Amino acid sequence: EAVEKWASELSRDWMEAESLKEATGGLLYLVDGHVRVYHGSQTKLPKHYVARQRLCLRATTDYWVNEPNGTPVFKINQPVDPGMVEVLRRDIIPRLKADIPNQPTQAELDADPTLPRFTIVFDREGYSPALFKELWEKQHIACQTYRKGDYEPWDLDLFQPCQITLKNGQKVTWELAELGVLLGSKPHEQSWVREVRKLSDKGHQTAVISTNFKRSMEEVAASQFGRWSQENFFRYASQSFDLDRLVDYQLGT
């Protein structure tokens, strides 16, 4: 408990030090879930599918919350993983609401209906139109993720070349387009969101959904596709430093 308390206080210190008060409505956090294999004998954990080994093994799931530049903020460990949607709703969002500095006041939120408290970015595992609507309408929290499922391609005339500056300072040119879409198959889940698409050199369109109406199309694309830098860290660090073996016998955090 003492270590957990110290880690929480350190996390708040990091957020205060690294805080970027954006005109777009607070901080942007990137959420990733990673399965950690357990080889000990002190407990019988449920099995999880481990993609990198293509096996179902006893494991826990760690959900990492980081700043856009990769700075770690905190980690939540789930021995029994209910999935990213439930972890976001139950564990991550309440903690961010309590700890994120420089959030808009209630008066600011009331004065500007499009102003979010903050924005969270995650992968397809957290895709849920119901969650997007719930967080935005009840708490003014914006979500951003890849669109899940099949979708019709847009007319190529909608795309335009855009200059993008990545977090490492690299400048790239991407073909981007944006439209408003009504998301959700059930009436109680439906809401209007932004959809930003990136056109690849081979003609593939990758769709990103966002409920942040303050950020530019270029900022939405850069933050979503910039997640790969963090994904690559976990991938190569696992291969090069054998991270899983370092924590083989840990039960929890």
Side-chain angles (χ1 to χ4, degrees):
E1 292 181 3
V3 172
E4 182 66 27
K5 180 180 178 181
W6 170 77
S8 297
E9 292 175 354
L10 185 60
S11 170
R12 284 192 288 270
D13 287 344
W14 283 342
M15 284 191 281
E16 289 284 358
E18 300 289 339
S19 174
L20 299 176
K21 179 62 176 176
E22 302 176 355
T24 54
L27 301 177
L28 176 68
Y29 286 86
L30 310 183
V31 182
D32 293 292
H34 296 271
V35 175
R36 177 153 52 96
V37 179
Y38 172 70
H39 295 295
S41 58
Q42 298 182 44
T43 187
K44 292 184 177 180
L45 292 171
K47 290 188 176 182
H48 298 247
Y49 178 71
V50 184
R52 58 185 174 274
Q53 298 184 33
R54 298 182 181 179
L55 294 171
C56 286
L57 302 170
R58 285 189 296 157
T60 63
T61 300
D62 294 331
Y63 288 93
W64 298 79
V65 180
N66 308 315
E67 294 196 7
N69 61 6
T71 302
V73 177
F74 62 82
K75 179 191 71 171
I76 292 177
N77 178 264
Q78 296 288 321
V80 180
D81 183 22
M84 182 179 286
V85 172
E86 186 59 28
V87 173
L88 280 167
R89 180 184 286 116
R90 185 187 65 192
D91 300 307
I92 294 177
I93 295 298
R95 183 163 176 177
L96 289 176
K97 283 186 66 177
D99 292 351
I100 288 181
N102 301 324
Q103 293 184 50
T105 64
Q106 188 59 50
E108 291 174 321
L109 295 173
D110 292 340
D112 186 352
T114 64
L115 180 65
R117 292 182 184 275
F118 53 85
T119 304
I120 50 175
V121 180
F122 41 88
D123 62 17
R124 289 181 181 86
E125 186 183 350
Y127 181 88
S128 168
L131 178 69
F132 305 157
K133 182 176 182 179
E134 171 190 331
L135 291 180
W136 179 249
E137 293 186 355
K138 294 183 179 180
Q139 304 186 58
H140 274 268
I141 296 172
C143 295
Q144 184 179 305
T145 186
Y146 296 105
R147 183 170 181 176
K148 204 172 183 178
D150 297 327
Y151 42 83
E152 293 294 325
W154 288 353
D155 192 318
L156 296 181
D157 292 338
L158 294 173
F159 292 86
Q160 56 182 313
C162 299
Q163 296 293 322
I164 307 293
T165 301
L166 303 178
K167 288 298 176 182
N168 61 2
Q170 180 185 3
K171 295 184 182 298
V172 296
T173 301
W174 290 344
E175 294 282 338
L176 301 177
E178 178 181 349
L179 290 174
V181 297
L182 182 63
L183 203 65
S185 57
K186 301 176 182 178
H188 68 278
E189 296 179 350
Q190 289 182 338
S191 62
W192 283 96
V193 301
R194 300 173 64 190
E195 182 171 334
V196 175
R197 292 195 185 183
K198 177 176 176 288
L199 181 66
S200 72
D201 295 337
K202 296 182 179 180
H204 177 71
Q205 298 180 15
T206 303
V208 176
I209 296 298
S210 176
T211 54
N212 185 318
F213 298 94
K214 292 292 188 181
R215 310 189 87 226
S216 68
M217 176 175 65
E218 292 82 359
E219 288 174 319
V220 170
S223 57
Q224 189 68 43
F225 297 110
R227 291 182 63 259
W228 281 109
S229 61
Q230 299 191 42
E231 294 287 355
N232 286 339
F233 165 78
F234 283 102
R235 176 185 176 186
Y236 293 118
S238 296
Q239 294 174 353
S240 302
F241 302 115
D242 206 2
L243 289 185
D244 286 333
R245 182 160 299 185
L246 292 175
V247 293
D248 269 351
Y249 295 98
Q250 285 191 355
L251 289 175
T253 57

